Amino acid sequence: MDKPIKSTRKLAIDDIYRIGTPDAAVKLVPFLWHEDEDFAIYVAWHLGVLLKNPEVEEKLSQYLLKNEQTPVNELTYIWRPFENNSDSALFIITSRLAYLIKVSSIKNAPSGFFKPVDPRIIIPIAAIETLEQGKLPKKVDIERDYDGLFIDELLVKPRGFPHLQALFRRRIKTLLGDPEGLNTWQFKIFSLNKRLQLNLLNRLINYRTPTRRDWIKLYAKDINYNFQKSWHYYIVLVISFVISLISLAELFVIMFRDPMNIINLIVTPSLSLLIWYFWVILLQGFTEILDPEFLITFSLLGIITFLEEFRSLLIYDSSDININNLYNVAVEGSDSLRLLYVNFLSIIIILMLTGTILKIRILELLILGVTVLVIAGVIATIVSSGAKSTEKTEKPQDIVIRELAVIIIFGGIIGGIVGTILSFFIQRVLNLPADIVLIKTVLGTWIAIAIGGIVGVGLGAWYRAKDKIDKSRYLAILAFPFFCTFPIVLGYSSYAFYDWFGLNWQQITIIWIGILGVCTVLWQWGQKLDYEARNPFKGILDSVKDDGDAFN
């Protein structure tokens, strides 16, 4: 077909479109299957505008299709929310219409065509079928614009609100850039009215990625569910907390059986502190309070998380993990206070468990419990100091030379003072040789404090890498223990099952399969409900009705 004929046909389509009656719309339908796909695309854009008219929709549903007018099967879902009769011609017509708009580009779409197309076609095409073509920010950076409104507040303003269209345009431009630099995906977005453009963009940026199933369930019954506040998640939390307490109790049991073992003096306070850190961060919120993502990524998947993020830090000089909260818990005074509260609560529970198991005198329990608490508190202070000073150090070589040296020397001094004081009480209560108690307590405390300081240096190096990319980021590997909560809890709670109940490894394995199985079922069940409850399309067409007729 030569250019004059093509031009004439397009002019004819323009004339039919201007008539705009249901009968005129029916005349356009056969051209959707025209052998010249560019011409069929031209027709599709015009028919997409007319489809908003309820009378046109009714007429097209009764259209008698020919054998060659076949559907695009993967796109028939687009009309399912709006039509119960599967024999309706609209399923086939809209699937072909949607396909042509999907494959269209700025080059073969009508020139300067910015008339609002039926959103029931454009929204699933832009938000599902061609979303990968859109270049969207991960999150809306500007929530309150110069008008002082959040996007959600702006979207509910009535049509008569002053300068409403100008406000819409400014927000859309903020998200997409200047319309003069359109790409094909943006061209499709701009075929919606301004309110819908902003509404859809807001959902695509700030909600989860939509699916075809979400669109099909556009008008499904609302599910009022939030996984983070559900009984499914609370049961998983309770199970996790109980297992953590069991592992903490076993750490104390091992230490109380041989209190003068240097390894026990190092391991029990250090590992207890790591478990306490985990629960303090979870309770106060990593990105939010009792964040499920933190629970899974820092416990079950902790080591995998560390390997992926540390690799990203080394190769790409960046990490997706939010290290701020972990750093704040280790450094800030208010967070340290929370940590102390959790320590005291867990110490009380653990002492009760341990005393019942070992039948130890209360005075012995208190002395050894306070020993662990004091050493853990000193370690936490050293972690804080190491993280702070590392983050503020200008030259990376100074971190290795100065920070680590100071930690060893300072740790020795503090360890000597704390260890001497603690050894006095331990020796008096347990009636052990004074020199042995003194040497082992001082040495154990010193090593534990030094390890804590080194881990703090790693945390500070990771936090420092947000703003200063230099060789110090390699020291972030020293923060590895923060990601090891799950193997610590798994190991010591498993040993507790053996130690307390005499279970063999096969029985312990069955117990863990049961625990992990129950937690997995509850987690997946809750996640499925949460996923359906957060349908990103819910209510998106309601605003369309507020802007005029059914879909204008």
Side-chain angles (χ1 to χ4, degrees):
M1 185 189 300
D2 56 26
K3 288 184 179 180
I5 296 177
K6 283 185 177 182
S7 179
T8 301
R9 286 187 169 178
K10 287 183 178 181
L11 288 173
I13 296 300
D14 291 342
D15 290 339
I16 296 173
Y17 166 77
R18 290 189 189 96
I19 295 171
T21 62
D23 290 332
V26 168
K27 297 291 184 183
L28 296 177
V29 173
F31 296 114
L32 296 176
W33 284 269
H34 197 279
E35 59 182 9
D36 182 356
E37 189 169 83
D38 283 351
F39 177 66
I41 288 171
Y42 189 86
V43 174
W45 280 96
H46 288 83
L47 186 58
V49 178
L50 296 180
L51 184 59
K52 295 182 297 179
N53 185 334
E55 294 178 359
V56 170
E57 180 183 330
E58 177 66 23
K59 189 76 173 181
L60 293 181
S61 67
Q62 301 168 6
Y63 183 82
L64 295 177
L65 292 160
K66 299 178 181 178
N67 291 335
E68 63 271 17
Q69 293 173 334
T70 56
V72 181
N73 290 325
E74 68 269 21
L75 296 178
T76 53
Y77 79 91
I78 286 177
W79 203 250
R80 281 180 63 182
F82 314 106
E83 183 77 62
N84 293 323
N85 181 12
S86 59
D87 295 329
S88 170
L90 272 172
F91 276 97
I92 296 176
I93 294 172
T94 53
S95 71
R96 179 64 182 176
L97 178 65
Y99 165 77
L100 293 170
I101 291 178
K102 174 183 174 180
V103 300
S104 68
S105 65
I106 296 176
K107 293 180 180 179
N108 55 19
S111 177
F113 194 86
F114 286 104
K115 301 177 181 68
V117 177
D118 194 322
R120 295 173 293 181
I121 302 296
I122 290 295
I123 289 175
I125 291 300
I128 302 171
E129 302 300 329
T130 62
L131 181 59
E132 71 281 356
Q133 298 173 12
K135 296 179 180 179
L136 295 171
K138 289 184 179 179
K139 188 177 181 181
V140 178
D141 295 324
I142 302 174
E143 296 212 347
R144 281 192 187 274
D145 205 345
Y146 301 108
D147 48 58
L149 297 171
F150 286 105
I151 287 180
D152 288 338
E153 294 172 339
L154 181 59
L155 287 171
V156 297
K157 293 300 180 184
R159 294 182 71 183
F161 188 77
H163 313 297
L164 185 62
Q165 294 301 313
L167 293 174
F168 284 151
R169 280 194 294 271
R170 185 164 65 193
R171 290 301 182 87
I172 293 166
K173 184 177 179 180
T174 300
L175 298 178
L176 286 182
D178 197 317
E180 293 179 3
L182 281 179
N183 60 35
T184 297
W185 185 82
Q186 290 173 345
F187 182 83
K188 295 180 175 67
I189 289 290
F190 279 113
S191 66
L192 297 169
N193 67 43
K194 292 293 184 293
R195 190 190 299 269
L196 257 181
Q197 289 176 34
L198 184 59
N199 196 346
L200 181 58
L201 289 171
N202 183 43
R203 291 165 183 257
L204 292 178
I205 293 169
N206 293 319
Y207 294 16
R208 66 170 173 81
T209 303
T211 64
R212 291 178 177 180
R213 179 180 173 82
D214 291 328
W215 183 252
I216 292 170
K217 289 184 169 289
L218 178 65
Y219 293 121
K221 184 179 178 181
D222 288 345
I223 301 175
N224 186 17
Y225 183 86
N226 184 342
F227 176 66
Q228 193 169 335
K229 298 178 181 178
S230 69
W231 64 268
H232 304 87
Y233 183 48
Y234 288 154
I235 291 177
V236 173
L237 279 175
V238 169
I239 292 173
S240 303
F241 186 69
V242 170
I243 296 296
S244 296
L245 282 181
I246 291 172
S247 63
L248 283 167
E250 183 58 25
L251 279 166
F252 278 70
V253 168
I254 293 170
M255 180 179 178
F256 292 159
R257 281 180 176 152
D258 189 3
M260 285 300 97
N261 187 317
I262 291 179
I263 300 299
N264 292 340
L265 281 170
I266 298 168
V267 169
T268 299
S270 302
L271 298 190
S272 299
L273 188 63
L274 286 174
I275 297 172
W276 289 327
Y277 270 136
F278 174 84
W279 282 100
V280 168
I281 297 170
L282 184 63
L283 289 170
Q284 77 159 31
F286 195 63
T287 55
E288 49 189 336
I289 294 175
L290 297 176
D291 183 7
E293 185 179 355
F294 174 79
L295 179 67
I296 197 76
T297 55
F298 269 76
S299 58
L300 185 63
L301 304 178
I303 294 177
I304 296 173
T305 300
F306 173 81
L307 292 174
E308 290 179 349
E309 296 301 331
F310 184 63
R311 176 178 176 273
S312 176
L313 188 63
L314 296 185
I315 296 176
Y316 305 110
D317 296 334
S318 65
S319 172
D320 290 334
I321 194 170
N322 182 358
I323 205 70
N324 291 15
N325 282 34
L326 187 57
Y327 179 85
N328 290 337
V329 166
V331 169
E332 297 297 331
S334 58
D335 293 327
S336 300
L337 203 57
R338 289 193 194 96
L339 187 62
L340 194 61
Y341 293 155
V342 175
N343 286 359
F344 273 123
L345 288 173
S346 56
I347 283 284
I348 291 169
I349 297 171
I350 291 161
L351 286 177
M352 292 170 62
L353 285 171
T354 308
T356 303
I357 295 165
L358 297 182
K359 299 177 181 178
I360 301 175
R361 290 185 297 125
I362 293 298
L363 185 58
E364 293 179 13
L365 280 174
L366 289 175
I367 289 297
L368 294 176
V370 169
T371 298
V372 173
L373 185 59
V374 170
I375 295 174
V378 175
I379 294 173
T381 304
I382 298 298
V383 169
S384 173
S385 300
K388 271 185 190 177
S389 57
T390 300
E391 189 269 327
K392 294 178 180 178
T393 302
E394 289 296 327
K395 297 178 181 178
Q397 60 268 28
D398 289 344
I399 297 174
V400 179
I401 298 171
R402 189 179 69 192
E403 300 301 326
L404 296 181
V406 167
I407 284 168
I408 294 172
I409 296 170
F410 188 66
I413 296 171
I414 298 296
I417 297 171
V418 174
T420 300
I421 297 171
L422 291 174
S423 66
F424 173 76
F425 291 102
I426 293 172
Q427 188 271 328
R428 292 292 296 273
V429 174
L430 301 182
N431 294 318
L432 296 172
D435 55 343
I436 296 176
V437 173
L438 177 63
I439 293 171
K440 290 189 175 183
T441 307
V442 170
L443 187 58
T445 306
W446 179 16
I447 296 173
I449 289 171
I451 292 172
I454 290 170
V455 172
V457 168
L459 180 60
W462 202 318
Y463 186 79
R464 184 178 188 274
K466 294 192 313 171
D467 304 314
K468 302 172 185 176
I469 301 299
D470 52 37
K471 292 182 179 179
S472 67
R473 71 185 189 280
Y474 291 100
L475 293 174
I477 195 171
L478 299 175
F480 176 66
F482 282 109
F483 297 81
C484 295
T485 306
F486 179 72
I488 292 169
V489 170
L490 175 66
Y492 279 93
S493 58
S494 297
Y495 189 72
F497 296 145
Y498 162 76
D499 191 17
W500 302 355
F501 308 112
L503 302 179
N504 58 38
W505 70 267
Q506 293 96 332
Q507 293 169 320
I508 294 171
T509 302
I510 291 172
I511 288 174
W512 272 111
I513 290 173
I515 291 172
L516 293 175
V518 169
C519 290
T520 300
V521 169
L522 290 171
W523 190 277
Q524 293 299 325
W525 184 4
Q527 288 290 324
K528 182 176 182 295
L529 291 173
D530 190 66
Y531 188 88
E532 293 182 358
R534 294 183 297 109
N535 187 335
F537 289 129
K538 274 291 180 184
I540 192 169
L541 293 180
D542 295 346
S543 63
V544 181
K545 297 174 183 178
D546 294 336
D547 273 349
D549 59 28
F551 290 101
N552 196 6

